[in-house]
């Protein structure tokens, strides 16, 4: 849980008021035939921010039947992009071969709005354009580009530079959070704003630097003098100069962390926890707040980068926190990373690396459309390589033999091949990579073979491993961590335990206390928990994330002694048509009070169980997926049930028909986000949800019309009660 992570003020609305009105006019009025709206302007001007602002306007959302937003970028895969658009249009994730045809069918006859962000070429537009039907119903496509030439026949809006007044307004909002600026700072503040050259990106970077300067006229004058010394020509500082200046003033330990963003594909959201685990394994985190909490130090590093406005946070849900980097900042990182952190990107399938080059990297990142060309020909070096990260633009069904990696890179500390499927034989190969700190694999085995289990000893030599992530396809994994004395995060997903797997795990468990007992913080494992595991859990006092399966409330061990546990994921071990597990004897004493997030899947909850969960004093996120309640198809939230600190509630594939709440404001006094996904049975909704004045977001997708009407009513009533922060995200026609 990263609830203390810094976030930008998404409510900032400065500039482009007339352009916003013009775009909205083009979208909801005008001709019935399909039209294209092109938004252009130089990098850092705020094209995407403006388009997103329009895209989320209530009158725009309500005008269209289908909506989709997709980022194209310079290097793109058309099929992958169409799959993303199809997923947004249809409201669920899937990958299909004939996606162009299916997407066209799903849009036919519907009034749709498609936004294609960061599109660079005429070829890209023409390839995507042929999929979108020419419906005479007012459908619209918005293109966002630095290039006016990407389309010839479009309603064109070219964004102007900010005026000095707009730049000064934005600077004040970012520095003073709408509280108003000291009068003595206005003159020098306007001078600084003028130096930003009318680019919102530059204003943000300068604000990040000014945030660390004492708010006095003298100190701001000194800052202005420093700023002037970095202006290469003209009266203003260019975006590249501003990025360079921001980088220069970062602490030395933060610089490699920023440059590491070059490793990730362009325009992709980066999961915060993955980034932090990689930073730690790279050795970028130099200090610790307290013993065993290097992750907290890493969060502070990220917070510093966010507060400098070099990095942006994204993700509407607390549990899906991610970060992004602006294209211009990423371009800077790409240039600097080769020199400063010895990082090289290979992103063209046809490219062969030139072994005569003087530069020999320690870190290589392979960005591929697929794995057909992923071979040793790309990387002729051996002893110098420390990190290999592979990113694939779409899921490749081919099975890859990566044995050459272990054979050629004996000093690897990080190996991430989770974007592709590798044969399970790689486990015996990577066992020789004794310096590994981070290992992530999607392992595929032969489902028709008899001996498809993996031995616990397969990775016995990896005693320096910090993070282990194994995604199983047709492979059974036992518990992996007995010889890994530094292991902090173990995630094994997709692995079902059969009898032989359980016997191996049990035999290993009975032998000794795991070497990493005092270090392990994440244990995600998809085999059923039993009371026998309590002895093992007692040896893991630092555990913060626990994910497992449960077959009955009696079999679930007490975990109240895990005083640092923050995230708990419980999945029913039942399968097929069997009834979900009933937590009917759940006692508060079984859960530690430190828990902040609970995720339950296919579990039936009694009144006492849900009341017990509500009493957890630090619970902030509750996700119920395919769950039921003891009363049957009714969830009654009585006056005794109070979720005192809950901020996010999600109901997914819920079977409930009637949802009654005695008093929403009393039961959910701190709720900020409510998400209802695939709740097609819900027919009776709470009557006073608008009284929850802390509510910021209601997201509804694939529910019945009663739920949609309820959400709109809650929104209207909330506005009347003064809750102006509430946003509603509705997908009515998702399937």
């Amino acid at each position: 849980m990263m609830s203390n992570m810094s976030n930008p003020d998404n409510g900032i609305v400065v500039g482009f008021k007339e352009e916003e009105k013009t775009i909205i006019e083009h979208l909801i009025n005008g001709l019935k035939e399909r039209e294209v709206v092109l938004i252009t302007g130089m990098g850092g001007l705020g094209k995407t921010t403006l388009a997103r602002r329009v895209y989320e306007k209530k009158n725009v959302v309500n005008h269209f039947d289908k909506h989709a937003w997709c980022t194209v970028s310079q290097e793109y895969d058309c099929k992958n992009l169409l799959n993303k658009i199809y997923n947004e249009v249809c409201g669920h994730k899937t990958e299909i071969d004939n996606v162009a045809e299916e997407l066209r069918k799903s849009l036919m006859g519907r009034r749709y709005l498609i936004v294609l962000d960061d599109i660079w070429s005429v070829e890209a537009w023409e390839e995507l354009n042929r999929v979108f039907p020419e419906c005479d119903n007012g459908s619209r496509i918005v293109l966002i580009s630095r290039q006016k030439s990407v389309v010839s026949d479009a309603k064109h809006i070219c964004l102007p530079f900010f005026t000095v007044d707009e730049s000064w307004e934005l600077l004040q909002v970012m520095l003073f959070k709408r509280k108003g600026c000291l009068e003595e700072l206005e003159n020098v503040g306007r001078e600084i704003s003028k130096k930003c050259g009318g680019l919102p990106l530059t204003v943000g970077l300068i604000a990040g630097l000014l945030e660390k300067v004492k708010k006095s006229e003298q100190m701001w004058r000194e800052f202005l003098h420093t700023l002037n010394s970095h202006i290469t020509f003209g009266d203003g500082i260019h975006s590249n100069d501003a990025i360079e200046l921001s980088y220069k003033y970062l602490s030395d330990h933060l610089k490699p962390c920023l440059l590491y963003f070059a490793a990730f594909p362009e325009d992709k959201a980066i999961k915060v926890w993955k980034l932090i685990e990689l930073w730690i394994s790279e050795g970028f985190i130099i200090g610790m707040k307290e013993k065993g909490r290097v992750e907290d130090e890493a969060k502070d590093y990220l917070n510093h980068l966010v507060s400098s406005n070099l990095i942006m946070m994204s993700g509407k849900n607390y549990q899906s926190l991610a970060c992004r980097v602006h294209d211009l900042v990423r371009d800077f990182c790409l240039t600097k990373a080769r020199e400063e952190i010895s990082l090289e990107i290979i992103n063209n399938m046809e490219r062969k690396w030139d072994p005569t080059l003087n530069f020999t990297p320690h870190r290589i990142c392979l960005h591929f459309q697929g794995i057909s060309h992923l071979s040793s020909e790309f990387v002729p070096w051996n002893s110098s390589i420390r990190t290999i990260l592979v990113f694939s633009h779409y899921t490749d069904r081919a099975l890859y033999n990566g044995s050459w990696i272990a054979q050629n890179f004996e000093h690897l500390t990080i190996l991430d091949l989770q974007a592709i499927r590798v044969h399970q034989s790689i486990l015996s190969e990577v066992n020789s990579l004794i310096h590994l700190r981070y290992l992530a694999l999607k392992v595929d085995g032969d489902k028709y073979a008899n001996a498809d289990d993996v031995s616990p000893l397969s990775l016995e030599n990896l005693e320096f491993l910090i993070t282990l992530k194994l995604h199983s396809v047709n492979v059974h994994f036992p518990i992996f961590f007995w010889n890994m004395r530094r292991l902090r995060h173990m995630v094994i997903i997709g692995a079902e335990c059969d009898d032989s797997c359980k016997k191996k795990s049990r035999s290993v468990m009975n032998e000794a206390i795991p070497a990493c007992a005092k270090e392990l913080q994440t244990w995600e494992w998809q085999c059923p928990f039993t009371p026998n595991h309590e002895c093992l859990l007692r040896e893991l006092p630092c555990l913060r994330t626990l994910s497992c399966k449960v077959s009955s409330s009696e079999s679930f061990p007490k975990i109240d002694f895990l005083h640092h546990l923050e995230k708990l994921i419980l999945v029913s071990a039942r399968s097929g048509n069997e009834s979900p597990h009933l937590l009917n004897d759940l006692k508060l004493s079984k859960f530690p009070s430190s828990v902040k997030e609970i995720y339950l899947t296919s579990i039936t909850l009694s009144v006492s169980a849900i009341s017990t969960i509500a009493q957890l004093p630090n619970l902030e996120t509750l996700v119920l997926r395919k769950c039921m309640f003891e009363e049957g198809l009714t969830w009654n939230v009585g006056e005794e049930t109070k979720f005192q600190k809950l901020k996010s509630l999600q109901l997914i594939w819920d079977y409930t028909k009637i949802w009654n709440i005695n008093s929403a404001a009393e039961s959910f006094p701190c709720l900020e986000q409510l998400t209802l996904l695939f709740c097609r049975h819900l027919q009776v909704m709470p009557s006073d949800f608008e009284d929850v004045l802390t509510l910021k977001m209601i997201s509804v997708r694939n529910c019945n019309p009663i739920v949609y009407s309820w959400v709109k009513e809650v929104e209207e009533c909330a506005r009347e009660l003064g809750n102006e922060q509430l946003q509603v995200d509705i997908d009515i026609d998702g399937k």
Side-chain angles (χ1 to χ4, degrees):
M1 182 72 178
M2 312 248 336
S3 57
N4 61 334
M5 186 62 65
S6 296
N7 271 294
D9 183 356
N10 293 323
I12 294 177
V13 178
V14 174
F16 304 134
K17 299 293 193 302
E18 291 304 316
E19 288 77 11
E20 179 181 327
K21 291 179 183 177
T22 301
I23 295 170
I24 293 175
E25 177 70 19
H26 286 323
L27 294 183
I28 64 179
N29 294 315
L31 301 176
K32 287 294 184 181
E33 65 186 54
R34 194 199 73 177
E35 290 186 332
V36 178
V37 177
L38 173 64
I39 303 173
T40 63
M42 72 176 296
L45 201 50
K47 301 182 295 296
T48 300
T49 302
L50 172 61
R52 179 64 73 176
R53 202 161 82 201
V54 170
Y55 183 76
E56 294 177 350
K57 286 285 184 181
K58 183 178 178 181
N59 57 339
V60 174
V61 171
N62 293 339
H63 184 73
F64 294 95
D65 303 321
K66 297 285 187 177
H67 314 77
W69 180 296
C70 190
T71 303
V72 180
S73 303
Q74 293 189 65
E75 295 177 6
Y76 71 96
D77 175 77
C78 185
K79 183 178 178 181
N80 182 48
L81 290 176
L82 294 178
N83 259 307
K84 289 182 178 179
I85 296 171
Y86 180 78
N87 289 340
E88 281 208 40
V89 166
C90 295
H92 59 85
K93 289 187 176 183
T94 184
E95 285 200 20
I96 53 179
D97 294 328
N98 58 337
V99 62
E101 180 183 346
E102 291 301 317
L103 176 57
R104 188 174 180 84
K105 287 180 181 178
S106 66
L107 294 175
M108 190 66 70
R110 306 293 180 91
R111 183 190 294 155
Y112 60 83
L113 171 62
I114 307 293
V115 180
L116 300 177
D117 188 14
D118 199 21
I119 188 165
W120 282 78
S121 67
V122 176
E123 293 76 20
W125 163 237
E126 289 178 347
E127 191 172 11
L128 293 167
N129 180 39
R130 64 174 63 105
V131 178
F132 306 124
E134 295 274 0
C135 304
D136 292 330
N137 58 3
S139 293
R140 300 288 185 263
I141 299 174
V142 176
L143 305 183
I144 306 171
S145 179
R146 300 184 201 176
Q147 315 292 329
K148 181 181 178 181
S149 59
V150 295
V151 59
S152 57
D153 185 18
K155 303 290 186 181
H156 182 211
I157 292 92
C158 182
L159 300 189
F161 289 97
F162 265 26
T163 64
V164 174
D165 286 343
E166 289 171 331
S167 295
W168 172 229
E169 181 185 356
L170 179 58
L171 192 66
Q172 289 183 87
V173 169
M174 300 186 83
L175 286 174
F176 300 99
K177 312 302 180 189
R178 305 185 187 279
K179 293 180 181 178
C181 171
L182 298 175
E183 186 175 345
E184 65 179 272
L185 297 177
E186 180 161 357
N187 289 334
V188 63
R190 285 185 172 277
E191 291 184 56
I192 292 173
S193 300
K194 184 177 180 180
K195 299 298 180 183
C196 293
L199 277 180
L201 172 65
T202 304
V203 175
L205 293 171
I206 296 304
L209 291 170
L210 267 177
E211 188 71 55
K212 302 171 179 62
V213 176
K214 183 180 178 181
K215 291 178 174 60
S216 70
E217 184 179 9
Q218 178 184 349
M219 297 304 295
W220 276 32
R221 287 286 176 192
E222 291 182 12
F223 178 83
L224 178 60
H225 177 74
T226 302
L227 200 60
N228 285 330
S229 67
H230 284 81
I231 295 177
T232 53
F233 57 87
D235 294 329
I237 186 168
H238 286 214
S239 57
N240 287 342
D241 297 326
I243 297 169
E244 180 75 51
L245 187 61
S246 297
Y247 177 77
K248 176 183 177 181
Y249 282 95
L250 285 178
S251 301
D252 288 342
H253 61 274
L254 292 176
K255 290 179 179 178
C257 294
L258 174 65
L259 298 183
Y260 205 71
F261 279 88
F264 298 89
E266 183 183 7
D267 291 320
K268 299 295 182 185
I270 303 163
K271 292 181 179 179
V272 165
W273 273 117
K274 177 168 185 173
L275 178 69
I276 283 177
E277 289 167 357
L278 285 170
W279 278 354
I280 292 170
S281 298
E282 290 282 9
F284 291 163
I285 313 303
I286 59 175
M288 288 186 285
K289 282 185 169 182
E290 57 181 277
K291 186 177 180 181
R293 284 311 294 161
V294 67
E295 287 81 6
D296 287 340
E297 193 76 11
K299 284 194 289 185
D300 279 349
Y301 282 26
L302 186 55
N303 269 326
H304 279 297
L305 294 177
V306 171
S307 65
S308 298
N309 295 318
L310 287 161
I311 302 302
M312 302 169 285
M313 300 303 299
S314 63
K316 293 180 180 179
N317 298 320
Y318 287 91
Q319 66 274 13
S320 61
L321 206 57
C323 51
R324 292 179 179 271
V325 59
H326 192 280
D327 287 350
L328 295 179
V329 177
R330 183 176 183 271
D331 289 343
F332 170 85
C333 292
L334 281 170
T335 302
K336 207 86 172 174
R338 170 182 276 197
E339 174 187 347
E340 298 294 334
I341 62 172
S342 191
L343 183 147
E344 181 68 13
I345 307 296
I346 300 176
N347 54 19
N348 188 324
M349 287 196 300
E350 301 302 325
R351 175 179 174 181
K352 300 294 186 295
W353 189 255
D354 183 358
T356 64
L357 290 178
N358 294 327
F359 173 65
T360 304
H362 293 160
R363 302 176 173 93
I364 57 173
C365 306
L366 300 112
H367 298 177
F368 286 107
Q369 307 296 337
I371 65 173
S372 57
H373 291 83
L374 178 55
S375 71
S376 58
E377 295 177 12
F378 278 103
V379 192
W381 315 285
N382 46 52
S383 60
S384 64
I385 302 297
R386 299 292 188 272
T387 296
I388 294 180
L389 302 176
V390 173
F391 299 93
S392 181
H393 291 280
Y394 65 92
T395 302
D396 198 317
R397 297 176 182 175
L399 187 60
Y400 184 67
N401 187 340
S403 59
W404 65 273
I405 294 177
Q407 295 167 4
N408 286 280
F409 308 115
E410 58 188 59
H411 295 292
L412 275 181
T413 56
I414 293 178
L415 177 60
D416 186 348
L417 303 180
Q418 206 165 20
I420 59 178
R421 294 168 63 192
V422 294
H423 193 268
Q424 71 178 64
S425 59
I426 197 173
L427 291 174
S428 59
E429 298 287 351
V430 300
N431 196 32
S432 63
L433 302 177
I434 60 174
H435 303 288
L436 275 180
R437 297 176 192 160
Y438 183 104
L439 176 62
L441 302 172
K442 182 181 289 185
V443 183
D444 200 339
D446 185 355
K447 62 182 178 181
Y448 300 107
N450 293 323
D452 59 347
D453 287 349
V454 175
S455 167
L457 305 179
S458 296
L459 305 176
E460 63 178 336
N461 292 332
L462 307 185
E463 58 178 287
F464 295 108
L465 208 61
I466 297 173
T467 297
L468 173 64
K469 296 182 178 181
L470 298 179
H471 186 163
S472 164
V473 182
N474 303 321
V475 178
H476 293 145
F477 290 123
I479 301 175
F480 278 113
F481 56 40
W482 256 254
N483 297 317
M484 303 172 187
R485 54 192 174 92
R486 297 187 182 181
L487 191 66
R488 301 170 72 82
H489 308 286
M490 183 187 70
V491 179
I492 300 179
I493 59 177
E496 299 289 345
C497 276
D498 60 9
D499 291 338
S500 61
C501 176
K502 293 175 184 176
K503 289 177 182 178
K504 286 181 181 180
S505 297
R506 196 177 303 118
S507 64
V508 176
M509 283 171 53
N510 293 335
E511 286 181 6
I513 296 173
C516 64
K518 305 303 180 186
E519 295 285 339
L520 196 69
Q521 300 192 24
T522 302
W523 181 8
E524 296 191 29
W525 189 52
Q526 294 193 351
C527 287
F529 247 35
T530 69
N532 294 333
H533 286 87
E534 184 175 327
C535 295
L536 171 61
L537 291 173
R538 287 188 179 277
E539 303 297 336
L540 309 175
C542 296
L543 206 62
R544 295 186 178 247
T545 297
L546 176 62
S547 174
C548 61
K549 288 191 174 183
V550 288
S551 56
S552 68
S553 56
E554 292 78 12
S555 68
F556 183 70
K558 288 181 62 175
I559 56 173
D560 60 307
F561 47 81
L562 296 174
H563 300 300
H564 297 287
L565 193 70
E566 296 180 353
K567 183 175 181 179
L568 178 63
I569 304 169
L570 301 179
V571 181
S572 172
R574 305 290 180 89
S575 60
N577 296 322
E578 296 182 47
S579 299
H581 163 61
L582 177 65
L583 285 177
N584 54 355
D585 293 321
L586 187 63
K587 300 293 190 297
L588 187 60
S589 60
K590 282 195 173 185
F591 285 159
S593 60
S594 56
V595 171
K596 295 181 179 179
E597 303 175 60
I598 292 182
Y599 303 79
L600 304 177
T601 299
S602 298
I603 291 177
T604 299
L605 295 163
S606 64
V607 174
S608 61
I610 200 70
S611 178
T612 295
I613 292 172
Q615 292 177 54
L616 292 170
N618 294 297
L619 185 66
E620 295 181 356
T621 298
L622 177 62
V623 179
L624 305 179
R625 180 182 178 87
K626 295 184 178 181
C627 288
M628 294 182 66
F629 298 93
E630 193 176 36
E631 298 104 318
L633 301 178
T634 301
W635 181 17
N636 288 313
V637 183
E639 58 182 350
E640 75 285 351
T641 303
K642 292 181 173 60
F643 294 88
Q644 292 296 343
K645 289 191 176 182
L646 195 70
K647 294 181 179 180
S648 177
L649 174 64
Q650 285 194 40
L651 303 181
I652 305 172
W653 285 108
D654 192 81
Y655 298 104
T656 304
K657 284 189 175 182
I658 301 173
W659 186 15
N660 290 323
I661 302 178
N662 185 65
S663 171
E666 292 183 9
S667 294
F668 301 99
C670 297
L671 194 67
E672 296 180 2
Q673 298 176 352
L674 173 65
T675 303
L676 304 173
L677 303 179
F678 301 97
C679 298
R680 295 168 179 163
H681 302 285
L682 267 175
Q683 296 178 2
V684 178
M685 305 297 293
S687 59
D688 61 348
F689 224 86
E690 63 274 7
D691 293 340
V692 183
L693 298 181
T694 55
L695 203 58
K696 296 179 180 179
M697 171 65 71
I698 301 180
S699 298
V700 179
R701 176 164 289 186
N702 308 96
C703 296
N704 64 44
I706 293 175
V707 177
Y708 300 127
S709 300
W710 174 80
V711 171
K712 292 178 180 178
E713 183 179 339
V714 169
E715 182 184 23
E716 292 174 4
C717 293
R719 293 282 186 269
E720 293 175 3
L721 293 173
N723 184 358
E724 296 295 333
Q725 65 182 348
L726 178 61
Q727 297 181 33
V728 170
D729 180 15
I730 297 178
D731 180 358
I732 295 180
D733 292 321
K735 297 178 181 178

